[in-house]
Each structure stands twice: as structure tokens, then as C-alpha cells.
Amino acid sequence: MSEIVRPTRDGIHGREYISTSVDIGRKPAQLAFEDGRLLGEPPPLLESPMPLLFEAVPPRWRRGTVVPAIARAAAELGLFSVVRSGDLSPELGVGQENVIPWLESTGQTADGRFAAAPMVMVPDGHGVAEVRASLKGENADRIVAIRLPATPGAAGRVLDLVRDGAEVIHLVFDAHGREDAPSKPRHMRDVLREIHGALVREGARDLVTLCASGGIALAEHVAKAIICGADLVAVDVPLGLALECRLCGECERGEACPVAIDDVDLRYAMRRVENLMGAWHQQLIELLGAMGIREVRRLRGETGRSPALRQAAGQGHLTALETTAHAGTGARGLPLVPAAARLAMPGSRTAADPLGILFRSPGGAQFVKLHLPPFLRPFLSLCHPWSPLVLRRGFPGPSCRAGGRR
């Protein structure tokens, strides 16, 4: 509790260590010892210095030096990058520790070239348990990640895969962070919370590593996805933006790229990606320090660290953004996104239903209702679906000094 009411600021300024590393792999449910020695071999684990990896490069950027530049930048940072088996080149050997080959077809699992890879990724499908067993038979110290599309039945499928011994499950959402559903697709935050809760109830949460990709555009989205239950995330579009891509779509229409991303210099591209990850790392350190958490692993599933959309009792369709945690004395009470994101998201409410706003003051927080004309409501909420999960850097708690915040 001391970390909650008196969060550390020393880690932000370099005087105290705040860990952003995560483990990738299956952790044992219990340990057994005999005569002081561990019985059995622990499962293989990989460590990433940040709770993210580089997703496979989208087709529109799979040209020139983009793929090797992103993979090499990940290697220099100690991160992992997913590379499609067709994009593996001699300079990107599968034996490199930071390259995760994505075996897109079951026929590639028998290819001996991938035997030295510390981690491989296979698509989910019929017989994936046999495919995983075959890959583990070639190299028992290799981690096999299963790539699973996010659907309304993803929670049940994840439980089945974990019972079959899955070590890492990569949940794939669309570019907007939505699941694949015929109607009313849910956002990543809701799917992750459902899957995380199902694994906790099953008593198997630590038996699998959950990775989520799709819709991750900012550093704060990494923390929000972890709060919702993921262990780490995978990013792709921000890497292209680091290379000055405008997302204009002209290359997909067969036109010339206006920024000539095909001809980008390898070293220049690597430095751009590394600078982006350095900025994200600093933002993550700032978040963890403001919340009083000294390692990012402890942030997983801590939904009290973020406001959540929930229905207020007796208010019909009124949906408010509320917070249940105070960061304490050292946290600066600054929002991470514009104030409009603190408004309730538009949903099924009628024109007469009020909107809820969470106001902050030195004495705490107050929730008030506003009656606004319907034509003003679209201008008072952000378009990005992550906006309901606005991270609070904290309110001044009762232990604040009399003179105010530090």
C-alpha cells in the first residue's frame, strides 16, 4: 500500500530503478523441491526489455530496406520482431535471438531452417496442437506462439489452447483495435478483460503470455492494454510512421510513394525506430512512476488504475468515466489526453440523457451531469476507441504536503 499512497518519483529522474521488462513464455503453476533441488526442468522463458514487440511489417511497407531496418532496430534494442517466413533474408537469419519467424503454412513447420529460432509463431487452426508438439520436438527450448484472430469466441478458444499447453497466444485485432465480428465488434479493451478474467477464474493466468496487436498507436495504449489484461503488445503502424509514412494509401493504389520509403537508408530507418521506442520507454517510465508501480508486470489487470466505462446505478443509460485509484503525493495531476476524452462516450442513450464529466480539483474528484443539445455531443468525445480508458496521473491524496504538490 505504500506504493499507492506515496508513489516514487525517483525512478523517473534516474535515482531509482523502474523495470519495464516482461517475461514471454509459460510459467510453472508451482515449484517442487527435493533435498533443496528443483524437481523437473522449468519451461523456457524469454525476456523483453519493454512490454512490446514489433509486429510483422504490413504488405504496403514490405519493400526496400524497411523489413531489415525494423528487425535490426529491434535487435539493437533487445526487442523481438515478427518476420514472415517469406521475408526472411540471409542477413535476417532465423537463428538470431530477436527474430520470430511467422510460419504462415503448416508445411513450413517441417523446414529445418527454423530449428534454431528461440521462438516461432504459427497460425491457429485445426491440428495446431500437433503442429506445436512437432516444433517442440525439434527444439524443446523453443517457444511456440499461436496467432489467434480476436473473435467473440476468443475467450473459450484461449482456454482450450492453454489446457493443451500453449505458451504464448498472440491476439490479432484490426487496425482500429476491434475484434472480427459480423456486427457490433468489441474493442480490444473489452476482449482482453474477458480473456484475462476467464484465465484468472480458471487459475491459469500465469500459464500463458497474452500478446495483443492492432490499434496500438500511442505509448499510453501499451499501458492501457496491459491494464486490461495483456502481458505485452505488438506494434506495426507506429513503426511506419517513424519512417515518415503519411498513410496516404497511394502505394496501395500503385502510385509512387510521396516520401520514397522504398529508398530509405538502412541506418537512418533504424535510428528513427530506435528514437521512437526510446520516447515510448520514457513515457512508460513516467506512467509507472506516477502510479507508484516499480515494474510493469504488476500493472497487468490493474483496472483500478484507469477510469472505466460503467453504468451508474439508477441512471438508465448514463455512462460515466470514473476512477478508483489515487496516485498519491508525488504524482502530477495532468491528463494524458485532451479533456474531451473524460466525457462519456456516445452510445445508446437518447437525446434527453445527460452526459457525465469527471472534474478534478485539489480536494479530489467530482462527477457532474450536463444536459447538452444532441448536435454538440459528437464534438465532446474523441474518435479513438481507447478514449474511455484515460489514464489518470493521480489526484492529490490526503498525505499531500500543505503547500501542494511537489
Side-chain angles (χ1 to χ4, degrees):
M1 291 299 294
S2 61
E3 289 187 356
I4 297 176
V5 299
R6 297 185 61 82
T8 175
R9 303 289 291 178
D10 293 337
I12 301 173
H13 303 295
R15 296 191 295 268
E16 185 175 328
Y17 183 71
I18 295 180
S19 173
T20 60
S21 63
V22 295
D23 297 322
I24 303 176
R26 187 182 183 95
K27 304 175 184 66
Q30 64 272 336
L31 299 176
F33 295 87
E34 183 177 352
D35 296 332
R37 289 181 293 182
L38 181 66
L39 295 179
E41 291 293 330
L45 283 177
L46 297 176
E47 185 176 0
S48 175
M50 287 182 64
L52 60 84
L53 52 85
F54 292 169
E55 175 65 299
V57 178
R60 60 177 175 270
W61 296 324
R62 291 166 59 189
R63 57 184 190 273
T65 60
V66 175
V67 174
I70 291 177
R72 290 189 181 185
E76 288 197 4
L77 295 170
L79 301 174
F80 296 92
S81 60
V82 180
V83 181
R84 299 172 186 266
S85 55
D87 292 337
L88 288 171
S89 55
E91 60 267 20
L92 296 179
V94 295
Q96 292 186 6
E97 296 182 355
N98 299 88
V99 174
I100 303 175
W102 176 8
L103 311 183
E104 302 179 73
S105 63
T106 56
Q108 294 175 324
T109 58
D111 194 338
R113 294 184 304 151
F114 306 106
M119 179 175 173
V120 296
M121 185 173 292
V122 297
D124 184 35
H126 180 70
V128 68
E130 290 76 11
V131 172
R132 176 187 168 278
S134 175
L135 291 170
K136 296 290 286 186
E138 296 177 0
N139 183 358
D141 295 330
R142 174 169 52 191
I143 296 176
V144 179
I146 299 176
R147 196 178 182 89
L148 175 66
T151 61
R157 181 56 179 163
V158 168
L159 290 177
D160 293 338
L161 292 174
V162 173
R163 295 187 189 106
D164 292 337
E167 303 163 287
V168 179
I169 296 179
H170 186 139
L171 294 166
V172 182
F173 297 82
D174 66 12
H176 303 285
R178 301 281 178 177
E179 66 179 355
D180 184 10
S183 63
K184 297 182 179 179
R186 296 174 298 169
H187 185 250
M188 180 192 295
R189 62 173 180 269
D190 303 313
V191 179
L192 287 178
R193 292 187 66 179
E194 179 189 13
I195 295 175
H196 175 75
L199 289 171
V200 170
R201 289 189 295 272
E202 188 79 6
R205 184 59 189 90
D206 288 333
L207 300 182
V208 65
T209 299
L210 285 181
C211 178
S213 65
I216 303 296
L218 300 172
E220 65 185 60
H221 297 166
V222 178
K224 291 172 182 177
I226 297 174
I227 284 175
C228 291
D231 291 284
L232 70 163
V233 302
V235 296
D236 49 4
V237 174
L239 304 179
L241 296 178
L243 303 183
E244 302 183 63
C245 177
R246 302 176 183 176
L247 298 180
C248 59
E250 294 186 6
C251 58
E252 297 178 345
R253 297 189 294 268
E255 303 175 11
C257 178
V259 297
I261 199 172
D262 313 58
D263 305 325
V264 63
D265 180 72
L266 178 65
R267 300 298 300 177
Y268 174 78
M270 291 174 57
R271 293 295 173 258
R272 295 278 295 187
V273 174
E274 292 171 6
N275 288 343
L276 175 67
M277 291 298 105
W280 281 30
H281 180 263
Q282 292 299 319
Q283 293 180 61
L284 187 58
I285 289 289
E286 177 77 17
L287 285 171
L288 295 175
M291 290 186 287
I293 296 180
R294 292 189 175 93
E295 58 176 346
V296 74
R297 296 182 183 93
R298 298 184 61 181
L299 190 61
R300 187 188 70 188
E302 287 283 346
T303 54
R305 299 288 182 174
S306 174
L309 283 173
R310 66 188 194 183
Q311 204 167 50
Q315 294 295 335
H317 293 294
L318 175 62
T319 304
L321 292 180
E322 300 177 332
T323 183
T324 58
H326 290 201
T329 51
R332 291 175 293 178
L334 299 177
L336 295 182
V337 297
R342 297 196 292 273
L343 292 168
M345 291 292 289
S348 58
R349 62 176 66 86
T350 63
D353 291 329
L355 284 175
I357 301 182
L358 190 67
F359 285 102
R360 296 188 302 160
S361 64
Q366 295 180 353
F367 177 74
V368 300
K369 295 183 290 185
L370 292 182
H371 292 268
L372 298 177
F375 68 89
L376 285 179
R377 296 180 181 228
F379 301 99
L380 295 177
S381 60
L382 294 182
C383 297
H384 198 282
W386 274 118
S387 57
L389 293 178
V390 182
L391 288 173
R392 290 280 187 260
R393 306 280 275 278
F395 305 113
S399 58
C400 233
R401 295 181 180 179
R405 305 187 189 94
R406 286 185 293 176

